[in-house]
Structures are given as structure tokens and as C-alpha cells.
């Protein structure tokens, strides 16, 4: 499993921040994954599964355990079902399914990271959540070191949430099985997509799945920082879900506040809107970490930024939002230390 010591983690993350891992290995198959987890257990040290490194912030002091870089690859088609191994890149996988004539993941185009990370926070965009497309997830259960398959219900998917997030490190995902469609079902209800197609003079009935993928890629490229230029982990915070009463109170004060009703009676509010319109934080910096000019939910790091710059900035935003709206916001990005 290619075990190495004292390896810098920053280059493996899109934030390009973080100290060294005491131990680091890359696993290319399930046996190597088991060996790696056993190594950490025998040494009584923590381990951390690294996918694309696109949703983590690593402490400058590094990580005193074993970082396991997930590199198990492979994609298998079985009619409308497709199984992808955890180390496959998410967006390449989405593109491949569309090229294979399967639909359902196109709204989730251009999200960085790996297939294995997708169920953990139940990635979602433009009205589609990956959990709804997942049949089952193959895992190593580190509590008894058995290989198991969890069906969709057992994954306990919620908004940017799952059993994998709740039981950190109990389950290591090595494969995900998706149920896709042969008949395209276009979903362009989100404003950004509707506007894209209107601006580019598409007739709704002619829009293909590939058009939707291209639209999502274009919209995201316009709104989000270029990973090659900036250090960033994309949206740093989750959009909060608040009670209807809380929303109604805020709406009296801020009549333009966008809110979207949830099935459980709560209301999801746009945090970017709150940050832009109530907290006035676009372009705000702490040290070398800044709020991205084009999208306030996104934090970016400039050369020389360290994890404490990002944490200080994030705390400042949390306090401002609390002050203005009495909402406690949560980070979507995982803190590794
Ligand atoms: P946006 O489209 O400006 O939306 C902001 C907020 O409003 C989100 O909470 C979104 O819910 C909600 N919203 C907007 N239109 C809605 C509609 N028609 N029905 C229900 N809810 C609606 O957000 P953005 O920041 O530019 O991001 C674009 C998309 O990418 C969003 O769907 C966002 O969630 C997603 N995204 C996902 C991840 C991730 O999975 N890690 C990271 C970054 C962005 P939803 O969040 O439920 O869509």
C-alpha cells in the first residue's frame, strides 16, 4: 500500500493549505484499504480517507495519524445501473454516464471530488441530490473489518448529510451503485439554469441532457473560482434550514430574503443572499483568506494563506450571520486536524 511518512497534505487539497501527515498511503484495491485501516488500528492512531481533497481544510499543524488516499478505480455498467469505484473522479464519471446514454446525474456536473465522497455529504445541485440516484454503497465497516453493502435507506440521506457523515470513519466507502434512466428527464427549474437557456435562445422542448450538463458547467465556471488559480473548497457553509416561524420573522424585516419550503416544514434560505445583502462581506479578507468576490458562500485562499486565516474568516462570517439573522450556520467543509 506504499506507506510513506511525513508527507505534506496541502498539495492533495484544493485549498492548498495544511501541514504534514505522519503517515500517508495510497490504496488501489480493497485489500490495500483493509491493510491500511489495520495498520492504523494496530498503531492506535486515527486515519483519514482522502478523496479529491476538495471539501476539506487541513490544520497547518498537520495530521498525526494515517492519511489514506483513495485510488480504487473502475466503472461497470449493467443496463440502467452503474457501479463506480470510490477513486473515480466525480465529474469525469458524470460525463461518462451521459456519453453512455444514461441520464440523471447531469445537474451534478462540475462538482469537484471523487465518486466515493459523493454519498458522504449527499452532494446536490440544481434540484437533484445524489442520494436519490444511489441504489447501494459498498463499504468496509471498520468496527468489525467486514465488507458490507448498505442500501439507499440504510445510507440515511438528508440535506448534505448521510450515515457516513454521522458515523465518521466507521464506514469507508469503496464503491457506489447508481440507478440511472434511459429516458432523459430534464430538470431546469433553478433560476440560474432557466436564465442560461433563455439567454442562449433554447426552446425548452429541444433541451438535451448534454445541454443541461454544458449549462451547469458554464454557470458554475462563471460563479465559482478557478481551482487552478485560487485555493478554495467551493461553498464553505451549508445553506441553513430554519423553522417557518423564524423565516416569517426574518421575512418581515427583509422582504426579499429567498426561502424554499422543505418537506418537513422548515425553510431553506440562501446564505449567499444573507452574506451579500445583510452582512456585506464580498471581498472581505482575514490574512490571506478572502470571501470570493462573485459568490459569498465561497472562501478562497491566496498564496501564503494558512488554516488559521480561513478559520478566523469563517468565524467572523458565522458571527455576522448570527448577529443579523439569529441563524447558526454550519460549515460544509470538513476540518482535518
Ligand atoms: P443557488 O442556486 O443560488 O441557491 C441558493 C439556495 O437556494 C440553495 O440553498 C438552494 O437549494 C436554494 N434554491 C435555489 N433555487 C431553488 C429552487 N428552485 N428550489 C429549491 N431550492 C432552491 O446556489 P449556488 O450557491 O449558486 O449553488 C448552485 C447549486 O449547487 C445549488 O443547488 C447548491 O446547493 C449546489 N452546491 C452543492 C454543493 C455540494 O453538494 N457540496 C456545493 C456547492 C453548491 P439547494 O442547496 O437545495 O440546491
Amino acid at each position: 500500500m506504499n506507506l510513506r511518512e511525513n508527507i505534506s497534505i496541502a498539495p492533495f487539497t484544493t485549498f492548498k493549505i495544511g501541514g504534514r501527515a505522519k503517515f500517508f498511503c495510497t490504496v488501489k484495491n480493497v485489500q490495500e484499504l483493509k491493510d491500511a485501516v489495520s495498520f492504523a488500528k494496530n498503531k492506535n492512531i486515527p486515519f483519514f480517507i482522502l478523496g479529491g481533497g476538495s471539501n476539506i481544510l487541513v490544520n497547518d499543524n498537520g495530521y498525526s495519524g494515517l492519511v489514506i488516499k483513495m485510488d480504487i478505480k473502475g466503472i461497470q455498467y449493467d443496463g440502467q445501473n452503474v457501479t463506480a469505484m470510490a477513486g473515480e473522479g466525480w465529474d469525469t464519471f458524470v460525463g461518462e454516464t451521459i456519453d453512455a446514454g444514461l441520464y440523471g446525474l447531469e445537474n451534478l456536473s462540475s462538482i469537484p471530488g471523487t465518486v466515493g465522497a459523493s454519498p458522504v455529504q449527499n452532494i446536490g445541485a440544481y434540484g437533484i441530490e445524489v442520494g436519490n440516484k444511489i441504489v447501494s454503497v459498498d463499504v468496509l465497516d471498520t468496527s468489525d473489518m467486514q465488507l458490507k453493502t448498505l442500501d439507499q435507506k440504510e445510507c440515511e440521506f438528508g440535506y448534505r448529510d448521510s450515515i457516513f457523515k454521522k458515523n465518521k470513519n466507521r464506514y469507508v466507502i469503496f464503491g457506489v451503485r447508481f440507478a440511472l434512466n434511459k429516458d432523459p428527464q430534464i430538470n431546469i427549474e433553478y433560476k440560474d439554469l432557466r436564465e442560461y437557456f433563455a439567454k442562449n435562445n433554447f426552446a425548452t422542448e429541444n433541451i438535451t441532457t448534454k445541454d443541461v450538463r454544458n449549462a451547469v458547467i458554464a454557470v458554475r465556471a462563471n460563479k465559482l473560482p478557478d481551482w487552478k488559480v485560487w485555493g478554495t473548497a467551493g461553498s464553505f457553509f451549508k445553506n441553513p434550514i430554519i423553522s417557518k416561524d423564524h423565516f416569517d420573522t426574518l421575512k418581515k424585516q427583509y422582504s426579499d430574503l429567498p426561502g424554499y419550503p422543505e418537506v418537513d416544514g422548515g425553510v431553506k434560505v440562501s446564505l449567499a443572499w444573507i452574506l451579500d445583502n445583510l452582512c456585506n462581506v464580498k471581498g472581505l479578507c482575514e490574512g490571506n483568506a478572502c470571501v470570493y468576490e462573485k459568490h459569498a458562500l465561497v472562501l478562497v485562499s491566496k498564496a501564503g494563506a494558512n488554516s488559521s486565516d480561513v478559520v478566523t474568516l469563517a468565524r467572523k462570517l458565522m458571527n455576522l450571520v448570527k448577529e443579523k439573522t439569529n441563524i447558526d450556520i454550519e460549515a460544509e467543509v470538513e476540518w482535518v486536524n
Side-chain angles (χ1 to χ4, degrees):
M1 61 180 183
N2 187 21
L3 186 73
R4 291 181 288 159
E5 287 185 50
N6 203 26
I7 298 293
S8 173
I9 311 174
F12 294 97
T13 75
T14 56
F15 246 135
K16 303 178 182 97
I17 286 177
R20 290 174 177 272
K22 183 157 173 45
F23 296 102
F24 187 103
C25 70
T26 301
V27 295
K28 292 192 174 290
N29 55 52
V30 175
Q31 187 54 52
E32 286 183 356
L33 172 63
K34 277 181 143 182
D35 293 345
V37 173
S38 300
F39 172 86
K41 281 188 155 196
N42 292 339
K43 272 204 152 350
N44 208 15
I45 55 170
F47 65 88
F48 173 77
I49 306 292
L50 178 68
S54 58
N55 202 42
I56 55 173
L57 175 63
V58 180
N59 193 318
D60 301 319
N61 296 332
Y63 184 69
S64 58
L66 169 66
V67 172
I68 302 173
K69 172 91 179 95
M70 173 58 69
D71 198 25
I72 305 178
K73 295 269 174 68
I75 300 178
Q76 266 191 335
Y77 292 88
D78 173 14
Q80 300 196 175
N81 288 346
V82 48
T83 304
M85 302 311 278
E88 291 287 342
W90 174 257
D91 187 56
T92 310
F93 168 64
V94 171
E96 272 197 29
T97 61
I98 293 170
D99 290 343
L102 294 170
Y103 313 117
L105 300 179
E106 55 280 358
N107 290 38
L108 304 178
S109 290
S110 198
I111 295 182
T114 54
V115 167
S118 67
V120 178
Q121 64 154 347
N122 187 16
I123 58 169
Y126 306 107
I128 302 285
E129 281 187 350
V130 78
N132 293 328
K133 308 288 172 193
I134 289 176
V135 184
S136 59
V137 176
D138 295 325
V139 297
L140 168 66
D141 184 342
T142 63
S143 67
D144 57 11
M145 294 303 279
Q146 297 299 304
L147 302 183
K148 296 178 184 170
T149 297
L150 304 191
D151 65 24
Q152 189 190 58
K153 197 155 172 262
E154 289 171 308
C155 294
E156 295 177 15
F157 291 119
Y159 184 62
R160 305 290 179 268
D161 201 15
S162 70
I163 193 167
F164 313 110
K165 206 161 174 181
K166 288 183 206 120
N167 292 282
K168 246 198 224 153
N169 269 1
R170 170 164 176 192
Y171 299 112
V172 180
I173 296 169
F174 62 86
V176 186
R177 188 169 173 80
F178 302 85
L180 303 179
N181 307 311
K182 287 222 156 129
D183 302 319
Q185 290 155 1
I186 302 297
N187 177 347
I188 55 160
E189 73 189 68
Y190 270 47
K191 187 168 143 269
D192 283 355
L193 293 187
R194 280 199 319 269
E195 283 178 359
Y196 172 93
F197 286 114
K199 200 171 129 209
N200 291 287
N201 300 317
F202 276 81
T204 309
E205 61 280 12
N206 294 337
I207 295 171
T208 66
T209 325
K210 199 141 199 169
D211 294 332
V212 176
R213 173 166 165 76
N214 290 338
V216 172
I217 291 171
V219 166
R220 288 182 64 105
N222 188 39
K223 224 171 169 182
L224 298 172
D226 182 346
W227 310 88
K228 286 168 213 113
V229 177
W230 295 94
T232 182
S235 292
F236 195 89
F237 298 103
K238 290 191 206 179
N239 286 299
I241 297 173
I242 59 177
S243 70
K244 171 94 172 53
D245 287 351
H246 192 168
F247 179 72
D248 290 343
T249 308
L250 289 172
K251 194 79 179 163
K252 278 186 199 135
Q253 216 177 338
Y254 311 114
S255 58
D256 292 341
L257 172 66
Y260 303 91
E262 291 285 291
V263 274
D264 64 0
V267 180
K268 189 166 43 178
V269 289
S270 167
L271 182 55
W273 188 93
I274 292 172
L275 289 167
D276 276 342
N277 294 280
L278 309 184
C279 306
N280 195 22
V281 299
K282 263 191 191 171
L284 178 75
C285 295
E286 278 293 331
N288 287 311
C290 300
V291 177
Y292 186 53
E293 294 279 355
K294 287 194 195 167
H295 197 337
L297 213 52
V298 175
L299 304 190
V300 289
S301 58
K302 297 193 270 195
N306 51 41
S307 62
S308 48
D309 291 341
V310 180
V311 171
T312 310
L313 179 61
R315 289 221 174 97
K316 198 168 201 171
L317 300 184
M318 289 165 116
N319 290 338
L320 278 169
V321 172
K322 179 77 178 169
E323 220 172 81
K324 293 283 179 189
T325 64
N326 199 26
I327 298 175
D328 293 301
I329 58 170
E330 278 175 54
E332 183 177 286
V333 167
E334 194 182 341
W335 174 236
V336 180
N337 67 351

